């Protein structure tokens, strides 16, 4: 695994490993700086960007406040258009629904070549581990996005929301294609170089037969329009359009927070998303589908509405703003922590600042990975400044840190804070403690022993002055 990170490892340990990988850091620095500079130029073209950002925030907040109503409206509209809506409370239920639908579509006697699906890049399906669930059921899922293909062929994990293979350079990608494409039935072209055009052509040839053969496609959606039951996918390569139109059955797995009330609301996000993500004025491919249309596109459409922790997140008045996220990845590209540690260190399909607040809420903060993520930030605020829907990520990080600290298992920390609070509430005791500390300062260690080592392993204790400020002020006051 690139960066030496291990699945299930808390962020401090995973980041310590990743930051020692000089190739990884060079790849990340080059890619994130390039993307963020392009984004800044694209955003600067719009004089009303601040107004668009405020509108996006307001639409999302309104929708989340009335989410129950808009989801019912969406279900009615999808059903009226010939689609079928399924509700999944968690990952297991969503995986079971999709597996059952795929089996029904390919038939019970389908051979190995027929028990397969093509996939559009989808964070929701990665979140629930759909590929692995399908594989357990004997169904092969083929990723068709170029970066996702690189990750899948390399037995890797995505490390970025927009550019899942951002941690790989061209030479590494060539090695993956040359060594692994044959396992999918078609070897890479002989003499393949690391030129981007050649790598893209190799992927195109590799996937074309999959598009033409597949009976079933699985997608996510960037947005769902409640008033018409329309789903929207924006992408840059055309693979999404192939998946959404060629197979006979289309299954879309979408988080319940992706709904917007009307087409007029959608227009705001179709301006915010491309400029914040790919630094484009509009996406090269924007695909819409509403149910099924005889003779045009899939003959069956299934929408799986995924909760998987979103309702619990919605109940948190501070944390719920994470559900505004439109997955643009702008926060990753400006984050100094992500730039150095990479996405794998976050132990989730949602890396970077948004992952640090979204993952602990979707999964709960009881696990070691989830409890460590709210601390994976310097709180510099750069993520909030670039967020197109104004998610105050630093505010949520501090809020989640409070929740982590309130858990059982932090007794020593709470006892220390309580003791300090007692001293600060009693001026005479504080004065005596300050004088005692000043008089014994030459005996103070530079590092704390025992449990305090975790704090002083990365910082020095402050050097105490020869006398407390109160005593100095009393002596020198005129």
């Amino acid at each position: 695994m690139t960066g030496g990170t291990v699945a299930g490892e808390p962020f401090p340990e995973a980041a310590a490993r990743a930051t020692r990988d000089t190739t990884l850091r060079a790849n990340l620095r080059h890619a994130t700086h390039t993307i963020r500079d392009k984004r800044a130029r694209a955003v600067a073209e719009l004089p009303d960007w601040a107004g668009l950002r405020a509108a996006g925030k307001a639409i999302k907040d309104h929708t989340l406040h009335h989410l129950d109503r808009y989801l019912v409206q969406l279900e009615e509209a999808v059903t009226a258009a010939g689609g079928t809506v399924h509700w999944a409370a968690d990952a297991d239920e969503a995986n079971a629904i999709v597996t059952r639908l795929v089996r029904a579509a390919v038939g019970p006697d389908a051979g190995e070549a027929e028990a397969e699906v093509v996939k559009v890049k989808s964070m929701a399906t990665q979140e629930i581990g759909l590929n692995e669930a399908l594989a357990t059921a004997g169904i092969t899922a083929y990723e068709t996005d170029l970066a996702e293909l690189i990750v899948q062929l390399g037995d890797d994990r995505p490390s970025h929301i927009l550019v899942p293979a951002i941690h790989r350079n061209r030479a590494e990608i060539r090695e993956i294609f040359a060594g692994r494409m044959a396992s999918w039935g078609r070897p890479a072209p002989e003499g393949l170089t690391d030129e981007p055009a050649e790598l893209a052509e190799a992927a195109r040839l590799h996937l074309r037969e999959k598009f033409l053969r597949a009976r079933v496609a699985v997608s996510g959606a960037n947005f769902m329009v409640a008033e018409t039951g329309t789903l929207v996918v924006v992408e840059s390569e055309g693979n999404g359009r192939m998946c959404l139109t060629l197979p006979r059955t289309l299954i879309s797995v979408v988080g319940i927070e992706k709904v917007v009330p009307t087409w007029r609301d959608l227009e705001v996000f179709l301006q915010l998303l491309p400029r914040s993500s790919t630094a484009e004025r509009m996406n090269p491919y924007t695909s819409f589908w509403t149910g099924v249309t005889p003779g045009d596109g899939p003959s069956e459409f299934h929408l799986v509405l995924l909760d998987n922790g979103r309702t619990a997140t919605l109940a948190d008045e501070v944390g719920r703003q994470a559900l505004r996220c439109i997955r643009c990845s702008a926060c990753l590209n400006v984050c100094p922590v992500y730039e150095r540690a990479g996405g794998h260190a976050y132990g989730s399909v949602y890396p970077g600042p948004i992952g640090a607040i979204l993952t602990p809420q979707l999964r709960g903060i009881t696990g070691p990975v989830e409890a460590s993520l709210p601390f994976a930030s310097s709180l510099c605020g750069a993520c909030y400044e670039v967020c197109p829907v104004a998610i105050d990520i630093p505010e949520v990080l501090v809020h989640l840190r409070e929740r982590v600290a309130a858990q059982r298992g932090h007794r020593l920390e709470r006892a220390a804070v309580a003791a300090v609070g007692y001293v600060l509430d009693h001026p005479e005791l504080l004065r005596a403690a300050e004088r005692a500390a000043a008089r014994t300062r030459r005996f103070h260690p530079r590092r704390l022993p025992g449990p305090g080592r975790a704090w002083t392993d990365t910082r020095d204790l402050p050097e105490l002055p020869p006398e407390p400020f109160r005593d100095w002020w009393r002596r020198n006051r005129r």
Side-chain angles (χ1 to χ4, degrees):
M1 183 64 63
T2 297
T5 56
V6 179
E9 192 175 31
F11 183 84
E13 289 83 353
R17 294 174 184 271
T19 52
R20 291 194 291 269
D21 187 330
T22 56
T23 300
L24 172 67
R25 293 188 61 172
N27 293 346
L28 288 170
R29 178 175 176 79
H30 172 74
T32 56
H33 281 245
T34 299
I35 296 171
R36 73 169 129 177
D37 290 345
K38 289 174 61 180
R39 177 202 173 275
R41 290 192 295 270
V43 167
E45 292 179 351
L46 292 183
D48 62 339
W49 180 258
L52 278 171
R53 186 176 187 240
K57 174 182 182 294
I59 292 168
K60 279 290 189 177
D61 283 346
H62 166 79
T63 307
L64 291 172
H65 188 68
H66 301 283
L67 189 58
D68 54 345
R69 172 160 60 91
Y70 287 121
L71 287 174
V72 170
Q73 183 183 9
L74 174 72
E75 180 183 29
E76 292 172 348
V78 170
T79 304
T84 303
V85 176
H86 311 261
W87 298 83
D90 55 26
D92 289 341
E93 188 172 3
N95 288 330
I97 291 170
V98 176
T99 301
R100 173 173 53 81
L101 292 174
V102 173
R103 277 292 173 203
V106 301
D109 301 321
E112 183 177 341
E114 296 172 306
E116 60 184 27
V117 301
V118 290
K119 287 187 65 206
V120 187
K121 179 180 181 298
S122 164
M123 302 296 293
T125 60
Q126 292 170 4
E127 175 190 327
I128 64 176
L130 178 62
N131 288 11
E132 293 77 11
L134 291 176
T136 300
I139 301 167
T140 303
Y142 294 108
E143 297 289 351
T144 64
D145 174 85
L146 177 57
E148 291 288 356
L149 172 64
I150 294 166
V151 169
Q152 187 176 33
L153 286 175
D155 290 328
D156 204 346
R157 290 181 291 146
S159 65
H160 192 276
I161 290 175
L162 178 66
V163 194
I166 195 172
H167 56 290
R168 298 291 192 183
N169 59 36
R170 296 187 310 183
E172 291 174 312
I173 295 169
R174 193 206 74 81
E175 291 299 320
I176 290 171
F177 279 12
R180 296 302 304 278
M181 275 189 169
S183 65
W184 273 20
R186 186 187 185 102
E190 292 186 11
L192 180 67
T193 73
D194 63 2
E195 286 300 312
E198 286 195 33
L199 295 172
E201 179 64 15
R204 186 180 297 112
L205 294 173
H206 189 66
L207 291 169
R208 184 155 298 172
E209 64 176 298
K210 304 291 190 296
F211 288 131
L212 296 174
R213 189 174 66 194
R215 299 180 183 181
V216 184
V218 175
S219 82
N222 294 97
F223 307 101
M224 302 180 291
V225 183
E227 68 175 349
T228 60
T230 302
L231 275 70
V232 187
V233 160
V234 296
E235 40 110 5
S236 301
E237 299 171 17
N239 64 296
R241 184 155 297 178
M242 299 282 276
C243 290
L244 297 169
T245 55
L246 291 178
R248 289 180 296 185
T249 300
L250 173 61
I251 305 168
S252 299
V253 182
V254 191
I256 56 176
E257 81 281 13
K258 294 295 188 73
V259 65
V260 297
T262 68
W263 277 81
R264 185 174 182 177
D265 299 321
L266 177 65
E267 183 267 341
V268 172
F269 297 105
L270 291 184
Q271 294 187 73
L272 289 170
L273 180 56
R275 290 179 185 268
S276 284
S277 58
T278 57
E280 296 170 298
R281 296 180 179 89
M282 65 181 294
N283 292 96
Y285 295 91
T286 302
S287 299
F288 305 88
W289 66 101
T290 307
V292 295
T293 302
D296 183 14
S299 56
E300 284 189 39
F301 169 58
H302 297 270
L303 172 60
V304 181
L305 291 171
L306 178 68
D307 188 324
N308 205 38
R310 287 159 174 79
T311 298
T313 303
L314 189 62
D316 188 321
E317 292 186 6
V318 177
R320 70 172 60 143
Q321 58 185 299
L323 297 178
R324 289 186 213 141
C325 177
I326 58 175
R327 310 293 192 265
C328 70
S329 75
C331 61
L332 280 69
N333 299 325
V334 299
C335 178
V337 177
Y338 175 86
E339 180 187 320
R340 288 156 178 80
H344 293 154
Y346 292 81
S348 165
V349 297
Y350 301 110
I354 187 61
I357 65 171
L358 187 58
T359 299
Q361 295 190 88
L362 295 181
R363 293 183 185 171
I365 57 174
T366 55
V369 174
E370 294 77 15
S372 70
L373 288 178
F375 300 90
S377 171
S378 65
L379 299 180
C380 68
C383 50
Y384 171 63
E385 294 299 323
V386 299
C387 178
V389 287
I391 301 172
D392 194 340
I393 293 177
E395 178 188 34
V396 182
L397 286 168
V398 172
H399 170 66
L400 293 176
R401 290 179 184 186
E402 292 174 353
R403 288 178 53 189
V404 172
Q407 292 184 123
R408 295 179 62 184
H410 291 76
R411 288 175 294 178
L412 288 175
E413 181 180 359
R414 290 200 297 274
V417 171
V420 170
Y422 182 83
V423 171
L424 292 174
D425 279 341
H426 296 78
E428 290 302 323
L429 184 58
L430 174 62
R431 185 174 295 111
E434 289 174 339
R435 287 173 177 167
R439 289 168 184 165
T440 60
R441 66 192 187 99
R442 60 181 150 178
F443 302 112
H444 293 180
R446 301 289 288 177
R447 298 283 187 272
L448 290 175
R453 288 189 59 186
W455 177 262
T456 55
D457 278 347
T458 54
R459 55 182 64 78
D460 291 333
L461 289 173
E463 185 175 348
L464 291 174
E467 62 178 331
F469 174 79
R470 295 167 188 252
D471 292 349
W472 178 91
W473 177 254
R474 188 178 295 110
R475 195 179 70 252
N476 291 279
R477 184 171 53 187
R478 295 289 184 266

